C-alpha cells in the first residue's frame, strides 16, 4: 500500500521531470516517476526521434533506467501529461513484464491525479514471462 506522501512525491517528481521531455514532433511532453520496492525513485521522459518508431516513452525510460541499475522490483509509477493521458499499449506491456500489481497513478500537468489503477487493470490478460513456460 502506498502512502499519500509516496504518491505525492511520485507525482511531484513526474511533473518536474516532464519539463525535460524531448518532444519536438508531437509537442506532448510526458514525465514518469517509478518507485522501486526498496524505496528508490527513477524518473523518465519521452524522447522523440525524427524516425518516429524510434521514440521512447517516459514510462519505458524510467523502467529501463532502473533495470540498468540492476533494479527489477517496482511498486508504483506516476505518469504525468498535460491532460492526464493514459500509457500506450507498449508501455503497459513493459510494465506488465515486471509487476501486474504495480500501482499506476495518472496525473495532469498540475499534478492532479485523475486515475489510480494497477497494471493488470490497464492490461487485462497481459502476456507475461509465465506465458513462456
Amino acid at each position: 500500500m502506498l502512502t499519500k506522501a509516496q504518491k505525492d512525491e511520485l507525482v511531484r517528481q513526474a511533473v518536474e521531470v516532464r519539463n525535460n521531455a524531448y518532444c519536438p514532433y508531437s509537442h506532448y511532453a510526458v514525465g514518469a516517476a517509478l518507485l522501486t520496492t526498496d524505496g528508490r525513485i527513477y524518473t523518465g521522459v519521452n524522447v522523440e526521434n525524427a524516425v518516429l518508431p524510434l521514440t521512447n516513452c517516459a514510462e519505458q525510460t524510467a523502467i529501463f533506467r532502473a533495470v540498468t541499475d540492476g533494479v527489477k522490483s517496482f511498486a508504483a509509477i506516476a505518469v504525468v501529461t498535460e491532460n492526464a493521458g493514459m500509457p500506450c499499449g507498449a508501455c503497459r506491456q513493459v510494465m506488465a513484464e515486471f509487476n501486474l500489481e504495480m500501482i499506476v497513478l495518472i496525473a495532469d500537468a498540475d499534478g492532479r491525479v485523475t486515475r489510480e489503477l494497477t497494471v493488470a487493470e490497464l492490461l487485462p490478460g497481459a502476456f507475461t514471462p509465465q506465458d513462456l513456460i
Side-chain angles (χ1 to χ4, degrees):
M1 185 75 152
L2 290 179
T3 67
K4 181 176 179 345
Q6 287 173 310
K7 291 177 188 178
D8 291 347
E9 182 60 15
L10 280 176
V11 171
R12 186 194 69 72
Q13 286 197 36
V15 166
E16 184 176 306
V17 76
R18 182 175 169 266
N19 293 317
N20 298 336
Y22 178 74
C23 51
Y25 308 105
S26 72
H27 307 287
Y28 192 76
V30 183
L34 176 71
L35 177 66
T36 66
T37 56
D38 66 2
R40 288 184 270 179
I41 295 177
Y42 287 87
T43 59
V45 296
N46 55 320
V47 180
E48 293 181 349
N49 188 285
V51 179
L52 292 178
L54 299 180
T55 294
N56 203 62
C57 297
E59 301 91 314
Q60 292 178 45
T61 301
I63 291 169
F64 297 165
R65 286 180 71 189
V67 171
T68 298
D69 278 355
V71 182
K72 299 176 189 88
S73 184
F74 311 127
I77 190 166
V79 181
V80 173
T81 68
E82 184 65 32
N83 62 344
M86 298 294 283
C88 74
C91 288
R92 294 173 193 211
Q93 184 60 49
V94 169
M95 290 186 277
E97 178 74 14
F98 295 96
N99 182 2
L100 287 171
E101 297 310 311
M102 180 168 52
I103 299 297
V104 181
L105 304 169
I106 307 298
D108 67 17
D110 294 321
R112 287 186 299 263
V113 175
T114 62
R115 294 182 131 188
E116 179 177 332
L117 57 167
T118 66
V119 173
E121 291 170 316
L122 274 175
L123 189 61
F127 187 86
T128 66
Q130 291 73 29
D131 292 308
L132 295 175
I133 296 172

